Amino acid sequence: MKISLLFGTETGNSEMVCEDIQQALGESHECDLASLGATDPTALDADRFYLIVTSTYGNGDLPMSAVAFEDALNEHKPELSDIRFAIFGLGDQVFAETFAHGSKRLRELLLERNAKMVGERGLHDASSFEMPEDIAVPWAEAIVAEVSAKAA
């Protein structure tokens, strides 16, 4: 399967999580990695599956590296009904009112454009003692297994 790992990050954590997912999936699947900021939502490819990892910044906003993607979705309003995605959010429950709202916001924008979400939104709480990759990698493996089973 062709998988694009897209990240939105302020400090690099989402990118590192995507690298860990890429390492876990890379032997069985064709994976590429890119910043959401370098991704044009009007050019998303129906032949790829999109795994998105994003943090939350400020008052529940997307990180700066994902703002151009968000702006393009809002400005161009592409029809994404052929696009399948899953999304994983990094956040901190210390900020309970906006915990992982970056991923929630991006999920809502993609669904508004008729993209098809696979599985539940994955979440990591920075206040926990778990490393984000210890949550994200099994989540991604389960999502990809679900997509692969449906394709078979």
Side-chain angles (χ1 to χ4, degrees):
M1 178 185 332
K2 294 179 182 178
I3 300 170
S4 287
L5 297 155
L6 305 177
F7 61 87
T9 191
E10 283 289 328
T11 62
N13 287 340
S14 294
E15 182 176 7
M16 287 186 288
V17 169
C18 278
E19 289 169 351
D20 290 332
I21 293 170
Q22 183 179 33
Q23 184 175 7
L25 300 176
E27 287 189 26
S28 303
H29 303 280
E30 180 184 322
C31 299
D32 61 33
L33 180 72
S35 169
L36 281 164
T39 303
D40 177 359
T42 65
L44 296 179
D45 182 355
D47 292 334
R48 301 193 75 78
F49 180 69
Y50 293 90
L51 278 172
I52 302 167
V53 178
T54 188
S55 60
T56 300
Y57 184 71
N59 293 318
D61 299 318
L62 285 166
M64 287 303 297
S65 69
V67 170
F69 187 84
E70 176 187 29
D71 289 346
L73 280 172
N74 287 323
E75 182 181 335
H76 301 296
K77 300 190 182 322
E79 172 56 43
L80 301 177
S81 58
D82 293 333
I83 302 303
R84 298 166 302 149
F85 76 97
I87 194 161
F88 190 89
L90 301 177
D92 191 329
Q93 281 284 13
V94 168
F95 307 101
E97 288 182 28
T98 59
F99 172 67
H101 274 224
S103 61
K104 180 180 177 185
R105 183 173 178 168
L106 187 54
R107 175 191 66 191
E108 290 168 0
L109 286 170
L110 290 166
L111 291 173
E112 284 173 15
R113 306 291 359 120
N114 299 314
K116 306 291 187 274
M117 185 168 160
V118 177
E120 296 293 320
R121 178 172 59 127
L123 296 171
H124 176 262
D125 177 10
S127 295
S128 75
F129 292 105
E130 296 176 286
M131 298 299 292
E133 61 272 15
D134 293 342
I135 305 297
V137 170
W139 168 85
E141 290 171 333
I143 293 286
V144 168
E146 180 180 339
V147 172
S148 295
K150 286 181 181 177

